[in-house]
Structure formats: C-alpha cells, structure tokens
Amino acid sequence: MFETIPGIAISAAVLLLLVAFFRLRGDAPAESVSDGGYVPARAGLTTHGKPTGLTRWLTTVDHKDIGLLYILFGTGAALWGATDAMMIRTELIVPETAIWGLETYNAVFTTHGFTMLFFFVTPVFTGIANYVLPMLLGADDLAFPRVNAIAFWLLPPSLLLVRGGLITEVAGKVLAVLPVPVGALLALEPVGVGWTMYTPLSTATANQQIDVALLGLHLSGIATTMAALNFIVTIFTERADDIGWNKLDIFSWNILVMSGLVIFAFPLLGSALVLLLLDRNFGTTFFAVEGGGPILWQHLFWFFGHPEVYILVLPAFGLTSFMLPKLVGRRLFGFRFIVYSTIAIGVLSFGVWAHHMFTTGMDPRMRASFMAISLAIAIPSAIKEFNWIATMWNGRLRLTAPLLCILGIMSTFVIGGITGVFLAAVPVDFVLHDTHYVVGHFHLIVVGVIPLSMVAASYYWFPIITGRMFNRRLAKAQALLLAVGTVFTFVPLLILGYLGMPRRYGVYPAEFTTLNQAASLGAFVLALSVVLWLVNMVQSARVGPVVEDADVWNLKETGQFTREWQWFEEQLEDRQAELSRGTDGSATSD
Ligand code: HEM
Ligand SMILES: [Cu+2]
C-alpha cells in the first residue's frame, strides 16, 4: 500500500491545482462577456468585453478559442509522440540495441501509442470541430461552453500523468543534485507495457507509474466523453431552423457518429481501467488466472479498442467528404449513402473486437462470426472510397495543397483498408498477428489518413483562422512528402511482417536490416514534412499575405460557399468598413 502513495499524491496534487484554478476563475469579477466569436486583434479591429493576453486564453469559454487551444495542445502532443516515434525508428536502424536500450524502447512505444491516440488525434479533431461546427450549424457556440472548457483543461494534467515516468525521472535527477529527498520521484519509471496494457504483464509489473498513467488515462477518458456529449447535444439542439437532418453537413454527421461511439466506448475503458487499478493495488482478481483470467482484459480492452480506431478515423473521413466536393467543384456523390455508411461503421464497430484476439485460443465458431462481421465492415468503408472517386468524376481538379492531401488519403486508405481485410481472415491472421504487418496496416490509416486530413483542414480553413494565406508552394511540397513518406515508412513494415518480424522488439535478425532502414528513412521524410508544415503555419500566420476576398477556394461558382465562409466574409466586410471609417474603436466586430 505504501508504494502507491507517490502516485496518489501526485495525482491528488494535480487535481487540487485544477480545482483551485477553477475556483479562482469562478470568483474572478465578471468583466468579460463573450462576444461570441474570436476576432484576431488586427489593424483596425477591437475586441470588446474580452480579457486579453494570458487571462483570455486561461478563462475562455468561446468555442473558437477553445478550438484553438485544443489544436495547439494536440499539436504539441503530436510532436512529443513523434519524438517517441523517431526514437523507435532510430533504434531499429541497426539490428542490435545500439542506441536507446530495450527498457527505453518499451517505454517509447508505449507512450507513443498513448500520446498519439488520446492526446493528439482526438484533441485535434475536437478542436477542429469546436471551431467550425457551431458555424456550420448556424449556432452561437456549443451547447455547454463551460463543459467545453473543463473538458479541455482536463487534458494537460492527464497527459502529464500518463507521461509522468519520464518527467519524474528527469525532475528526480535534477533535484537529486540538491539535498532534496527524491526517492519517490525516481521510483516512478516510464511505463513499458504497450498501449494495450495486456494483463498479466500490466498487473505483475511493480512500477508505480503504471497506476499514475492509468489515472491519467481515466481522466482523459472523462474529458473525451464530456466533449462528445457536448457535440451530440449541440448537433441535436443548436441547429439553425433551416438545417434539417437531411441538410446537416457531412463533417457534423461524422462528429455526431464519432461522439456516439465515444459515449459507449470510453466509459467501458474507464471501468476496465478501474478494475485494473483494483487488481494492482487492492488484491482483487478480475484479471488474475484464479479470477476472471487475463483474457478478460483483452475482451474489455478491445470492446473499447476497436470502436476507438473508428473514433479516431471518422472525423478524418468527415473532413475528407466535406472538403473534397469543394475542392473539385462537384457535389458530394451519394451523400445519403455516405451518411448511412458512417452509421453502419459506427454500429458494426462494436461487433468486431475479437478480431484482435483470434490467436488467444477462442472457440472457432466465435472466430468465424467475428471474421464475418469484420469482413462486413469493409463494405461501408469501401462505399466511402468509391463515393469519393465518383465525386471527382468530371470535376474541376486543381492540385491545391488540401486536394493533394485528400488524394494522398484516398491512396493510403486503399492499402490500409485492404490489409485490414486480410487480417480479418482468421487463417491469415494466424500468420500475421503480432508481426509488423499489423503495425503497417494500422499506420497506413492512422498516419496516411488522419494527419493528412488534419493538414488538409489546416490549409483549407487557414484564411478563416488567421486572416492570412499560407505559402502554397511549400504546402504542396509538404503534402506530397507526407503522403509519400507514409508509404515509404509503412509499406516496408507490411513486407517485414510477411517475412515474420514480430512487433515490439528492439532487436531483430540481421536479414531484416535493409527493410528496417528503408522504414526509418521514410520516418525522416515524415519528420521533414512535419517541420515544413510547422514553418508554414507559424510564418504564414505572422507575415502571410492578408486575405481580401473571402472566396479563397472559388466556392461561390459552384454554390458551395458554406456558412463558415459567409461568416468570414462578414468579418472582412466589417474590417473594410471600419478601415474606411477610420478606427475610433467604437465599432463592434460581430
Ligand atoms: C477495413 C476495415 C478494417 C478491418 C477489416 C481491420 C481489421 C483489423 C484486424 C483483424 C486487426 C488485428 C490484427 C492482429 O492484431 O492480428 C487490426 C488491427 C488494428 N487496426 Fe484495423 N481494420 C480495419 C480498419 C482499421 C481502421 C480504419 C483503423 C484506424 C483508424 C484501424 C486500426 C487498427 C489498429 C490500431 C490495430 C492494431 C491494434 C494493436 O494491436 O495495437 N483498422 N485491424
Ligand atoms: Cu479492430
């Protein structure tokens, strides 16, 4: 029991800080009335009634501000998780462990998974949805702006709890120089049990940081669930009068279905995490051999885990279906069928979890039925792909950066999706399970579809967010590098898997060297593309050409000048009016 104290103390301290923060916030004088929109403090524009500087960002309940906070936080987490990924790929450049060592290798592939899934992908999509969803729906804000703020502010402490091992180790070593007792800090080692936290490894490992990380994951799950509920209520109740269900845009549809999955999947993860904590600290036997058995964990985890992969990818599908028609000047082909396929994926995703467990010795009849449903889920996935292709048919394709991203998505999704269909076939999975083939399969989607969709969105809506234009040539180069880098990094893993290289090993037989080096080279291409993206975003937001005409993508021509752009156009007109009137600071901006 004594060993758990550092973990509990740290999480209690973080929670206390959080409570103190919100108390202080609540007591602050109510000088700030939200003006309902984020207006960049640009020449001639004044923001009214909103605090400025740090106070604004710490106290905001405005959906656009919180959206930006989410995007910023998610990007930071992505860079952290990407550092892990680069550590994995550098270790695998040589067959022996020459660079980081095996303990660290286990730790980085674990934190990589946690960070990317829970703190990068979902927060960034939540941020994008925060920003544009109310505008697309014709709403002033999300249904519960304060819940929105709480959901966001729970994430930074969750991330620190989950990634604590490394932080406490560094802090411990620094403090050890001073005469401060740091035993507790040094006792927390980085977690190395994998993002799936399989028992009995996760119950048998003594490291207290595992408990801290479980608490952090639990907290992030609460945050994600709150955000999802907010989206659901907003979409149901805050739509403008003229937006019936048949007029709801495809991005909002995807966010709605994704949120539905969250409220069924995440509470289950939360409960499973509590059971694991109980097993670890209070002598229960939920996952012990003499109790529920270690396989019970796998069932609970994957009942959450498979819907989770669709929670990750549905917003990306939504962005793709949303932007593609606008970028090729056509209407989305088969809108209704895309909506149906999204819902079908959502429902089916709860019936396929055991395809992650085919090799656990389960009843062959169960295997057959899970195989059938897993194969069936490929149908709605394929419907989307075909509808995207049909949308482009006879379209007016201009190879802008966001369209390049989307073409990249459509290409990698074919490889990523079809490799999944192979894995869903039981006999094939027997050969490929726990090999690099699986790693290749899912990364072709989680890298080839998800970040590409975010990057596409970052270019598409950049003018709305910053009032400026990004560097188009740099953006095109970056999009190409991201798409090509994905293929170069992860297709070698498919081959390595076929050849029999297992996943999660920091050492491997020398015959696998060349393919591993190819994959690592690809990873450096990906890293380069990320740097180019960052440079473009930061530089263009500072000094990019100011946008004068709101119709950046020629949307009016094809009648696709949607609400968020209309809002932007109004902003620009207001600015023009103010500038021509001279700035007396009294004009309102909304
Ligand atoms: C066409 C539909 C898909 C099918 C039939 C499919 C099938 C599978 C199967 C059978 C496995 C288990 C392989 C094994 O461990 O032996 C698997 C693993 C995985 N899939 Fe897919 N998949 C599909 C789409 C997706 C999508 C869209 C994503 C992500 C957004 C995804 C993410 C993953 C992940 C993360 C894993 C590995 C989890 C782990 O073991 O760490 N899959 N897939
Ligand atoms: Cu799955």
Side-chain angles (χ1 to χ4, degrees):
M1 197 45 219
F2 276 121
E3 310 84 64
T4 56
I5 288 175
I8 294 174
I10 293 179
S11 30
V14 172
L15 283 174
L16 268 176
L17 275 176
L18 211 68
V19 171
F21 169 73
F22 279 108
R23 289 281 329 172
L24 285 178
R25 232 198 82 181
D27 293 339
E31 14 105 24
S32 60
V33 183
S34 165
D35 66 5
Y38 159 58
V39 186
R42 222 182 285 119
L45 273 193
T46 37
T47 48
H48 289 273
K50 267 181 132 182
T52 49
L54 194 61
T55 328
R56 163 177 165 200
W57 293 103
L58 290 178
T59 60
T60 181
V61 290
D62 177 328
H63 71 98
K64 291 206 195 69
D65 285 356
I66 295 179
L68 288 177
L69 285 174
Y70 263 117
I71 293 171
L72 227 60
F73 170 82
T75 308
L79 295 177
W80 204 353
T83 311
D84 296 331
M86 294 316 286
M87 286 176 73
I88 296 172
R89 283 303 346 156
T90 42
E91 178 63 68
L92 293 178
I93 290 176
V94 286
E96 63 277 9
T97 79
I99 301 172
W100 309 109
L102 293 183
E103 291 279 319
T104 311
Y105 185 80
N106 289 349
V108 288
F109 76 62
T110 303
T111 46
H112 169 68
F114 284 153
T115 311
M116 289 306 204
L117 303 186
F118 299 110
F119 301 103
F120 159 45
V121 175
T122 302
V124 169
F125 281 140
T126 307
I128 296 176
N130 244 287
Y131 204 97
V132 297
L133 205 97
M135 289 199 271
L136 293 173
L137 299 178
D140 289 338
D141 204 312
L142 291 185
F144 308 116
R146 278 158 195 276
V147 172
N148 198 17
I150 297 174
F152 171 74
W153 286 105
L154 286 180
L155 285 180
S158 328
L159 175 63
L160 293 183
L161 289 174
V162 168
R163 301 221 40 154
L166 187 67
I167 303 168
T168 50
E169 202 174 305
V170 174
K173 283 185 180 153
V174 171
L175 288 175
V177 181
L178 313 168
V180 183
V182 290
L185 285 179
L186 289 178
L188 299 175
E189 284 155 24
V191 178
V193 296
W195 84 282
T196 50
M197 299 169 279
Y198 273 11
T199 52
L201 180 63
S202 58
T203 39
T205 313
N207 179 12
Q208 292 305 308
Q209 173 57 27
I210 295 180
D211 300 299
V212 180
L214 294 179
L215 287 170
L217 287 176
H218 200 284
L219 202 60
S220 86
I222 293 171
T224 307
T225 313
M226 286 206 272
L229 283 169
N230 213 346
F231 286 138
I232 294 175
V233 177
T234 306
I235 293 172
F236 268 88
T237 63
E238 304 285 315
R239 274 176 293 135
D241 293 335
D242 58 333
I243 303 185
W245 287 109
N246 55 343
K247 289 248 177 68
L248 186 62
D249 68 278
I250 196 68
F251 179 57
S252 303
W253 265 112
N254 276 271
I255 292 293
L256 180 65
V257 175
M258 178 276 275
S259 303
L261 296 188
V262 166
I263 59 171
F264 285 101
F266 268 86
L268 190 111
L269 173 71
S271 321
L273 290 173
V274 170
L275 299 186
L276 193 55
L277 274 168
L278 292 176
D279 265 18
R280 284 182 54 80
N281 295 295
F282 298 99
T284 54
T285 55
F286 293 109
F287 308 119
V289 175
E290 64 273 26
I295 299 294
L296 176 61
W297 169 261
Q298 294 193 23
H299 278 295
L300 295 181
F301 182 83
W302 288 116
F303 189 82
F304 149 80
H306 189 85
E308 164 70 2
V309 308
Y310 281 102
I311 290 168
L312 299 172
V313 87
L314 283 180
F317 289 163
L319 286 174
T320 307
S321 307
F322 184 88
M323 287 182 286
L324 179 63
K326 287 149 187 113
L327 297 170
V328 300
R330 295 262 297 156
R331 298 181 65 134
L332 184 59
F333 183 86
F335 178 89
R336 289 210 348 231
F337 287 91
I338 295 206
V339 172
Y340 295 151
S341 73
T342 308
I343 298 172
I345 286 179
V347 174
L348 287 175
S349 73
F350 281 98
V352 299
W353 78 90
H355 66 209
H356 295 269
M357 303 165 56
F358 283 152
T359 59
T360 55
M362 61 199 286
D363 187 323
R365 285 163 299 182
M366 297 276 282
R367 282 204 295 256
S369 61
F370 276 103
M371 169 170 123
I373 306 175
S374 302
L375 292 174
I377 212 168
I379 296 169
S381 310
I383 288 179
K384 287 182 192 291
E385 180 79 28
F386 288 130
N387 281 5
W388 291 333
I389 295 174
T391 302
M392 296 200 305
W393 199 260
N394 278 336
R396 201 163 32 81
L397 271 69
R398 281 158 302 154
L399 293 181
T400 54
L403 186 61
L404 283 179
C405 293
I406 288 175
L407 295 178
I409 290 172
M410 290 168 62
S411 320
T412 45
F413 182 53
V414 171
I415 326 179
I418 289 180
T419 48
V421 178
F422 282 103
L423 286 173
V426 175
V428 179
D429 187 65
F430 268 50
V431 180
L432 296 174
H433 177 66
D434 262 347
T435 68
H436 265 70
Y437 184 93
V438 176
V439 184
H441 151 63
F442 69 77
H443 278 90
L444 279 159
I445 301 170
V446 294
V447 180
V449 173
I450 292 170
L452 268 169
S453 78
M454 293 169 176
V455 167
S458 75
Y459 292 139
Y460 184 69
W461 282 311
F462 193 80
I464 292 192
I465 297 175
T466 63
R468 291 175 187 273
M469 198 59 197
F470 55 88
N471 181 325
R472 294 170 195 249
R473 278 176 67 188
L474 190 58
K476 278 189 205 174
Q478 185 269 329
L480 274 176
L481 283 178
L482 190 53
V484 173
T486 306
V487 175
F488 265 86
T489 311
F490 300 110
V491 169
L493 301 196
L494 294 176
I495 307 170
L496 279 169
Y498 264 126
L499 297 176
M501 178 169 162
R503 64 192 283 200
R504 293 187 172 160
Y505 281 74
V507 285
Y508 55 85
E511 72 217 59
F512 296 138
T513 313
T514 316
L515 282 166
N516 267 299
Q517 288 174 346
S520 295
L521 194 67
F524 283 98
V525 175
L526 287 178
L528 173 66
S529 122
V530 171
V531 172
L532 293 184
W533 177 79
L534 272 175
V535 169
N536 201 350
M537 288 292 119
V538 174
Q539 274 305 87
S540 306
R542 287 178 53 233
V543 295
V546 174
V547 173
E548 308 284 350
D549 175 7
D551 195 7
V552 179
W553 304 108
N554 298 332
L555 300 174
K556 284 182 178 163
E557 249 171 60
T558 50
Q560 306 202 71
F561 197 68
T562 41
R563 280 170 192 259
E564 82 280 25
W565 293 104
Q566 291 164 17
W567 175 87
F568 180 53
E569 188 164 55
E570 281 164 27
Q571 299 288 305
L572 290 185
E573 279 162 9
D574 284 354
R575 186 175 64 181
Q576 279 308 322
E578 257 184 67
L579 281 179
S580 53
R581 208 173 334 126
T583 50
D584 57 4
S586 63
T588 50
S589 51
D590 263 69

